[in-house]
Amino acid sequence: MLSRRKLLKRFSGLPLVGGFIAGSSSIPSRADDQEVDEKKVPRDYFAELGVKPIINAAGAYTTMTASLMPEEVLDAYRQTAGEYVSLNGLHDAVGQKIAEMVGCEAAMITAGAASAMTLATAGVLTGLDEGKAKRIPVDLHGMKNEVIVQKSHIVGYTHAIINCGVKLVVVESERELIKAINRKTAMLYFTDEHNLDGEVQYERFVKIGKEHEIPTFIDAAAGIPPRENLWRFTKMGFDLIAISGGKAIRGPQSAGLLMGRKDLIAAARFNGPPSSDRIGRGMKVNKEEMVAMWIAVERFLKIDYEKEYEGWKMQIDWLKSQFDPIDGLKAESIIPQSPNTVPTLVLTFENGAFSKTGFEVNKALIDGDPSVAVARPREDGFNITTWMLQPERLGTVAMRVKEELLKARV
Ligand SMILES: *Cc1c(COP(=O)(O)O)cnc(C)c1O
């Protein structure tokens, strides 16, 4: 990646790059390593594969591998790869550590939040009954088989629930929700980011679940930041909480957290690997990922998050100052409500000022060299975030986006 090296040199004089961003400097950078030791050229696996790295000014998107593991997480990963351990024993120990750190009854590592949804649902259906666990999803005889969800909370991820063979019962109001509850109801499902979109919100939802003794599950996969959401939903009374490990927490992309009631976590574990005859057998998490996830949570609770936030805010404000002079472009620095409540630059094309749409500029940036990804492209603009960006790439983002915007100016 010659061009990247050149760019790095070109922007190294930029006082803003790498200066005020000290708070987020723990994002590992291969480019930095190269600068330190010019002679030792590490093997470039992506180049050998012909896969182009992306400069991520978009955010935590799974299709772009979402986040980068910090050094201490990578250390934990590497250091644990060289020994054998009991996978179940490690599972127990890591789960307990996380439960203690976060302050919930029980926790387990899953293969991502989607996997947590499948395992949690299976656990609610089977408890610790092996015969039942073996029959999921083809024969739910003797098990409850309905999961209730508010219409506005249905996202593609609910497929992870119906994997278990259950039926989603869709309701639109509190009255419908209560009416839909019957002896077949296994679980009530809720999506954090759609809290305000449904008639029944957090506390009320939990209360209805408790009144009818039906477990409530919240998908808070992308619900962090704020950091408090790691413990907020257990405190609120949700029985099961799923969070992605590889988004804001920056653990392994293939890991996630399921937290909540002890009996339900045990039942979810029962439906997962390493037992072979289970719905979750394909959702394996190996030792390095488990330990790395634990360390990622530990680091996430320890870091000065205010300072990280401050750093992102300054980066966004600096980018804004770079784009403000462009005629016909409106640049606003905001913090969206949910999800991804991080400093965000919203760029909007004024009427007729640009010959290209936001989609087209986005494509030019992705196809460019280096490839730059921005967020939420639309007809009249796109967004930029820096919370998943390696700090030393900020200058490149400014330069490439400015280049493409100026090309598109009428
Ligand atoms: C990302 C996401 C998921 C899936 O999370 P993984 O950790 O990738 O499995 C589920 N639900 C929502 C709302 C998400 O944003």
Side-chain angles (χ1 to χ4, degrees), residues 60 62 66 110-117 155-158 160 189 191-194 219-223 242-247 252-257 339-340:
T62 302
T110 63
S115 146
M117 289 163 75
V155 282
Y157 296 106
T158 41
Y189 168 82
T191 317
D192 169 44
E193 62 189 80
H194 292 296
D219 171 8
I243 291 178
S244 283
K247 289 177 181 168
Q253 241 308 273
S254 47
L257 300 174
N340 300 332

Side-chain angles (χ1 to χ4, degrees), residues 18-31:
F20 64 65
I21 330 150
S24 20
S25 63
S26 58
I27 296 184
S29 153
R30 202 158 43 81

Side-chain angles (χ1 to χ4, degrees), residues 349 354 356-366 374 382 401 404-405 408:
F349 306 164
F354 289 81
K356 286 185 182 174
T357 64
F359 296 112
E360 288 165 333
V361 173
N362 171 56
K363 186 169 184 322
L365 286 166
I366 284 276
V374 294
F382 52 87
V401 172
E404 289 303 330
L405 285 173

Side-chain angles (χ1 to χ4, degrees), residues 147-169:
V147 172
I148 303 178
V149 56
Q150 296 182 84
K151 192 172 179 189
S152 53
H153 287 237
I154 295 189
V155 282
Y157 296 106
T158 41
H159 202 124
I161 289 174
I162 59 173
N163 274 354
C164 296
V166 297
K167 193 175 96 185
L168 278 186
V169 177

